[in-house]
Amino acid sequence: MKELSLNGSGWSGLRLALSLSLMKGEPVVIRDGVNVLTSDPAYMPLYDDIKRFLFRTNCGTIAESGEDVAFCPETIMPGRYNIETGNFSSITELELFLLPALFVRGSRSVINFTGVTHSQVSYPTVFLKETLFGLIEECGFYASMNMKRFGYYGSGGGSAESRIYPAEKKICSGLLEPRDVTLEGVRIFVARMDMSLADREKDYVLKNINVPDSKVQVVEIRDADGFGNSIQAYMKYGPVNVILSRDMEIYNSAGDLVFDEARYYSALASLREDIMLFARTGRLPRNIVAEIIPYMMISNSTVPAAFADTWSSGICRQLGI
């Protein structure tokens, strides 16, 4: 088994290591993987969903051994899958785990998801549809994500369909270079909560972010199983829509109601900082860069020297990508 080091990349690194191992069909031991899982109670439900999928589809065995995670993958076949997440998990995390392996198969795959579409521990499904897929298309990777029903962290009940097509890998240049960035608008989603919350968020956006009233939209979600609150900024990065978002933490992974006013305003402030930095520099946020780099390396595109030490490029190199 090949030994992999996460080098402090946390859950995202562990998920990527498992994902690339599945793509290559190469058994791995991920050092300190268990320590990552126990570092935050929110990570174990994400990991359990991956384990459950692998068990039900016979796509490999995964186990904890001391402080490490060992994974022996089997071939994942293209086809149609029905996947349900736990109520404290994320459709996006399962999709990110499966994408590389399904991209390199010879025919299309369709995944019908049910569960959590909006989670504070991951990206919303619209990020995949608008941002990730728009960016990696430049490297020859094509996929779609269609959310059909909202499902918030703590209650689930959402649904989405993804279609993943065989890659037509091509060299992409300039993908991570600065581009003209504009803020196109902000959307505020509230499900089964007092709408005064949305009014306060809109007031904060108008006072602290350079966007006119006409471009701030409040949407009340009536068809959802539980409470939820999301804010999404739509940024134009060249031809690609980049979604910067925050899903407010209403429940923790134990199901406790933890909505807190201070944490709420901290999330709004950090979103504002991300928006302003992106607009000022024209450079993609580093967390998005880290998600894109594996696809650049799989397609044999050159990763700019400024991003050569990104944690995701390090995991790719360890697996010979």
Side-chain angles (χ1 to χ4, degrees):
M1 281 191 172
K2 177 166 286 188
E3 295 185 5
L4 301 181
S5 172
L6 297 177
N7 295 322
S9 55
W11 162 255
S12 296
L14 177 58
R15 183 245 297 152
L16 178 62
L18 294 170
S19 179
L20 297 179
S21 171
L22 181 64
M23 182 190 76
K24 295 196 68 178
E26 184 168 355
V28 295
V29 173
I30 304 170
R31 295 302 182 197
D32 293 322
V34 170
N35 291 335
V36 168
L37 294 173
T38 57
S39 67
D40 189 325
Y43 295 154
M44 193 59 76
L46 307 176
Y47 177 70
D48 285 343
D49 272 353
I50 290 175
K51 287 182 71 173
R52 191 178 304 113
F53 172 83
L54 293 170
F55 175 77
R56 291 178 177 175
T57 57
N58 296 313
C59 288
T61 57
I62 186 170
E64 303 79 55
S65 176
E67 296 180 344
D68 306 326
V69 171
F71 180 36
C72 294
E74 301 289 343
T75 300
I76 182 171
M77 301 302 295
R80 184 175 291 271
Y81 294 93
N82 296 305
I83 302 176
E84 182 177 3
T85 76
N87 288 347
F88 301 95
S89 187
S90 164
I91 287 173
T92 298
E93 288 301 308
L94 276 166
E95 174 89 346
L96 290 171
F97 166 68
L98 291 169
L99 280 171
L102 292 176
F103 274 135
V104 300
R105 301 299 173 236
S107 58
R108 185 192 69 178
S109 292
V110 178
I111 308 177
N112 289 298
F113 287 105
T114 55
V116 178
T117 61
H118 291 71
S119 165
Q120 69 265 19
V121 299
S122 188
Y123 309 96
T125 51
V126 69
F127 168 83
L128 297 172
K129 176 183 178 180
E130 297 285 352
T131 304
L132 184 70
F133 295 160
L135 291 167
I136 65 176
E137 185 176 304
E138 298 184 28
C139 302
F141 297 94
Y142 302 94
S144 66
M145 173 65 76
N146 177 29
M147 189 191 74
K148 300 177 179 179
R149 186 174 190 260
F150 280 79
Y152 279 100
Y153 189 86
S155 57
S159 61
E161 181 191 80
S162 177
R163 294 174 181 254
I164 303 163
Y165 299 88
E168 301 173 12
K169 292 181 281 189
K170 57 187 178 183
I171 304 295
C172 59
S173 60
L175 180 55
L176 300 181
E177 296 302 318
R179 298 180 180 181
D180 290 335
V181 172
T182 56
L183 175 59
E184 298 294 299
V186 175
R187 289 181 182 173
I188 299 167
F189 299 92
V190 177
R192 303 184 67 175
M193 299 180 73
D194 191 325
M195 289 302 292
S196 65
L197 175 70
D199 293 336
R200 293 201 305 274
E201 289 169 343
K202 181 174 181 179
D203 185 62
Y204 179 92
V205 168
L206 293 174
K207 289 179 178 178
N208 295 279
I209 300 172
N210 186 25
V211 58
D213 183 280
S214 61
K215 291 190 175 183
V216 181
Q217 181 182 11
V218 174
V219 181
E220 182 179 7
I221 308 302
R222 297 180 181 271
D223 182 25
D225 286 354
F227 302 111
N229 176 217
S230 309
I231 304 177
Q232 298 172 357
Y234 287 70
M235 314 283 289
K236 206 72 174 178
Y237 173 70
V240 178
N241 292 318
V242 172
I243 310 297
L244 302 183
S245 65
R246 291 296 185 276
D247 280 272
M248 298 304 173
E249 186 175 8
I250 298 171
Y251 296 99
N252 63 18
S253 59
D256 302 318
L257 186 65
V258 294
F259 185 79
D260 176 77
E261 194 86 3
R263 191 180 302 166
Y264 161 80
Y265 281 108
S266 176
L268 287 174
S270 68
L271 176 60
R272 175 188 178 276
E273 290 173 5
D274 287 353
I275 292 169
M276 296 306 182
L277 181 63
F278 188 30
R280 185 172 67 252
T281 66
R283 292 188 178 275
L284 288 167
R286 293 194 73 86
N287 62 311
I288 298 178
V289 170
E291 301 289 356
I292 296 168
I293 281 177
Y295 298 99
M296 296 183 69
M297 297 180 72
I298 293 168
S299 65
N300 295 315
S301 301
T302 299
V303 176
F307 303 105
D309 293 331
T310 302
W311 60 262
S312 56
S313 62
I315 292 173
C316 289
R317 286 194 296 271
Q318 290 179 69
L319 278 161
I321 295 171

